[in-house]
Amino acid sequence: MAATAQPILAEPYIENQTKQNGSVNIEDLHTSAAKLSIAENATVDGSTDPVKTPFINPSSASKVPSAPSLTSDQSTRYEKLLATVKSWTTKPSSTPNPPEHPLTDSDRIWLTRECLLRYLRATKWNIHEAGIRLQATLTWRHEYGLENHTPEYISPENATGKQVLSGYDLAGRPCLYLNPGKQNTERSNKQVEHLVFMLERTIDLMPAGQEMLALLINFDKKVGGERPPLWQGKQVLNILQSHYPERLGRALVINIPWLVWPFFKLINPFIDPATREKLKFDQDLRQFVPPSQLLKTHGGDVNFTYEHDVYWPALNELASKKRAMMTARWETAGKKVGESEYYLRSGENEAGTVNGHSS
């Protein structure tokens, strides 16, 4: 089981530094980062049995694979797309009034090197199409109101723990557990906003070098529940495929009741082939996730208990700290479009040089 660790919530380093100095000293971030790297299988609040909060880091059994090198042609296409994106000062509006929105720092930090490469891969390295899709996502992120989806706003949707972010798979992908049997609200767009919020927190918790996540969906035959409506499934798929390309590393689905199988058949034509290949049904999840970070409900060793008043603030505090460190590095490095996510997450480049970053 998880080793005992001091609660990181008791060390509000970044918040104190920001309050006192107006910013975080970039050279102190390695000290703060070390506070987020405690013991093997440490949790945010130090809980072990039962575990009540997210694991802070992947276990030693997880290995983030190295990113493949770009070919000469791919590098050229990336540089051309980067030059185009650097010239943007606005993002389109979906309505004529206003016709466009100003590009913000939140947009610019999102436009990382890896982000541009994800969109290039998703469009088969078509520079023009990648640019169009990037602009469409910038517009969607603004008009969907991601920054207005606060933990307080989303909190009621997760009161029963129907979504839990905890642990990492063998490739270092953060694991987002979806538990449809714990549904606690009426069907609405807010349920989709909840999923998007959790996707964003999952991205916050990705280790350096990892760009993908793992979905673990447990329908739990003992609990049952209604199948999701087709409109909602199509909406979620559209958001994932249009605005989170190359983010799904694996989707592991277990305990599918007969009532839900027709839904998968209906939704199947709307799933792109690349995503469809990542779906695995009713397999032993221990072959994908280290047992020491896999919940017992999914065949692992982790005795996890969901207590909303404990878990929810811990998750959001951890995600907030990691975002703050990334933002501080980005600002210190010059607020560049095309910055390296590896650098933003670790303070190092992929060769291990401290403060190495995109030129």
Side-chain angles (χ1 to χ4, degrees):
M1 291 302 301
T4 301
Q6 293 298 313
I8 67 163
L9 299 185
E11 300 183 317
Y13 170 82
I14 291 174
E15 292 84 348
N16 287 343
Q17 288 294 307
T18 302
K19 188 180 296 183
Q20 294 170 12
N21 306 320
S23 64
V24 178
N25 186 335
I26 192 69
E27 297 191 357
D28 290 341
L29 282 174
H30 291 290
T31 301
S32 186
K35 293 178 181 179
L36 300 184
S37 305
I38 308 173
E40 175 82 358
N41 297 326
T43 57
V44 172
D45 67 343
S47 59
T48 57
D49 191 8
V51 166
K52 296 183 179 181
T53 57
F55 290 103
I56 299 171
N57 292 313
S59 79
S60 58
S62 298
K63 305 296 180 187
V64 177
S66 300
S69 300
L70 300 181
T71 66
S72 176
D73 178 63
Q74 290 170 345
S75 294
T76 299
R77 291 173 184 269
Y78 167 75
E79 292 297 337
K80 288 181 178 179
L81 178 61
L82 177 61
T84 297
V85 173
K86 282 183 173 180
S87 71
W88 294 346
T89 58
T90 60
K91 51 184 178 271
S93 170
S94 63
T95 61
N97 188 23
E100 56 190 16
H101 307 286
L103 209 65
T104 66
D105 278 356
S106 293
D107 298 323
R108 293 185 181 91
I109 192 174
W110 179 78
L111 290 165
T112 61
R113 176 180 184 273
E114 289 80 358
C115 176
L116 272 57
L117 288 172
R118 285 191 291 272
Y119 278 75
L120 279 169
R121 290 194 298 268
T123 56
K124 302 188 185 326
W125 298 91
N126 185 311
I127 301 169
H128 178 68
E129 183 64 24
I132 290 174
R133 286 190 57 177
L134 280 165
Q135 288 188 320
T137 296
L138 286 169
T139 299
W140 173 81
R141 291 176 70 87
H142 174 80
E143 297 181 355
Y144 196 65
L146 288 190
E147 293 187 4
N148 297 324
H149 298 168
T150 63
E152 294 74 24
Y153 171 71
I154 296 296
S155 177
E157 285 290 330
N158 212 64
T160 58
K162 66 187 178 190
Q163 294 187 31
V164 171
L165 175 53
S166 184
Y168 298 79
D169 74 3
L170 289 169
R173 305 182 190 102
C175 294
L176 177 57
Y177 293 80
L178 307 184
N179 304 301
K182 295 185 178 182
Q183 184 58 262
N184 63 317
T185 58
E186 297 296 323
R187 293 172 181 170
S188 69
N189 285 326
K190 192 171 181 181
Q191 292 180 343
V192 181
E193 291 172 348
H194 175 214
L195 176 60
V196 171
F197 178 89
M198 294 299 283
L199 287 173
E200 290 287 322
R201 302 295 75 76
T202 305
I203 292 169
D204 290 338
L205 268 55
M206 288 176 178
Q210 182 52 264
E211 303 174 44
M212 296 184 175
L213 59 93
L215 285 180
L216 285 72
I217 308 172
N218 183 3
F219 282 93
D220 192 352
K221 296 173 184 174
K222 298 188 293 298
V223 177
E226 298 181 7
R227 75 185 184 193
L230 184 60
W231 69 264
Q232 195 174 63
K234 290 172 65 176
Q235 183 183 7
V236 169
L237 273 177
N238 178 62
I239 289 173
L240 287 173
Q241 294 174 174
S242 299
H243 305 303
Y244 293 89
E246 302 285 310
R247 283 301 200 183
L248 181 62
R250 198 180 297 280
L252 307 169
V253 188
I254 61 173
N255 294 326
I256 307 174
W258 65 268
L259 186 67
V260 176
W261 275 115
F263 171 78
F264 275 106
K265 291 180 180 178
L266 284 170
I267 208 74
N268 193 60
F270 303 101
I271 304 175
D272 68 61
T275 300
R276 197 177 300 127
E277 290 178 0
K278 297 171 183 177
L279 288 167
K280 303 292 181 183
F281 296 96
D282 287 322
Q283 297 195 18
D284 178 6
L285 302 192
R286 297 167 74 96
Q287 63 182 309
F288 304 108
V289 182
S292 64
Q293 291 203 355
L294 178 65
L295 306 192
K296 279 188 175 180
T297 51
H298 294 66
D301 296 341
V302 179
N303 180 23
F304 177 82
T305 297
Y306 188 82
E307 294 181 10
H308 188 65
D309 290 344
V310 176
Y311 177 88
W312 194 244
L315 168 66
N316 287 290
E317 180 81 1
L318 178 62
S320 176
K321 283 180 178 288
K322 294 205 172 190
R323 286 198 308 277
M325 285 192 285
M326 291 179 67
T327 300
R329 291 186 179 114
W330 182 70
E331 291 174 347
T332 299
K335 294 187 173 183
K336 297 175 182 176
V337 169
E339 187 58 87
S340 160
E341 286 180 14
Y342 194 99
Y343 163 70
L344 294 178
R345 294 189 186 282
S346 68
E348 303 176 351
N349 65 22
E350 294 186 63
T353 302
V354 176
N355 292 344
H357 53 82
S358 173
S359 60

